[in-house]
Structure formats: C-alpha cells, structure tokens
Amino acid sequence: LTIANWPADKSVEWLEGPPCPVTGEPRRVPFSGTLLVERRDVSADPGGTAPSVPESAGRCLTVGAVVRLRYGYVVTCVGMNQNSDGKVEEILCSYDPDSH
C-alpha cells in the first residue's frame, strides 16, 4: 500500500498499539508511506468485498473505500495498479493526518 500524500521528509511514525497481553509493554507500530497489507483484505472490484471478508465486515480495501488501518490512520483508496493477469500489485491511498 502506497500513501500518496505521505510527507516526503517523514520516514516512519511510530504509533502506540494496545499493550502486549503477556508482558504489558506498549506495542509500537510503524506507519510510513509504504505499508504491507493482507492480500485477502483487497478487492480490485469497485464496491466489492475481498473473498475472506464477510459482507457485514465492510472493511475491504477497494477503490473509493475509506478504512482505518489497525492502530493507525484513516486512508482512502484512490487507485490500484494491477499486472497483466489482473493481480493487484500496488494499492494507492491518501491518508487523513488528523485521524489518529
């Protein structure tokens, strides 16, 4: 996932997740202009749902979708790059810097 409006002068922002249930230590989660997401959470069909996401979940990255990334910011999917077989190779998003 590529965040198109991520500031060029900003490398990684470390966000706080919930504490680890075993150690109680806070979790630090990296957030940057390039992120990895589960392929099962992506659909190339506008308005579609990813195969493993129940219809009621509604948390699918597809063009036009607005979702909050876990422990992170709200992103809007603005496009996708696909290979010649139709497989999604890159998800293009913008993020709302005021949403965390």
Side-chain angles (χ1 to χ4, degrees), residues 15-79:
L15 306 174
E16 291 291 321
C20 173
V22 175
T23 65
E25 304 261 332
R27 291 185 196 179
R28 293 183 45 157
V29 180
F31 197 95
S32 67
T34 303
L35 303 168
L36 296 176
V37 295
E38 297 284 337
R39 184 171 298 280
R40 67 178 184 219
D41 293 335
V42 177
S43 175
D45 299 324
T49 58
S52 67
V53 178
E55 193 70 35
S56 62
R59 294 191 178 197
C60 181
L61 280 169
T62 188
V63 176
V66 178
V67 297
R68 177 176 297 280
L69 298 179
R70 191 170 192 187
Y71 313 129
Y73 291 96
V74 171
V75 298
T76 302
C77 181
V78 296

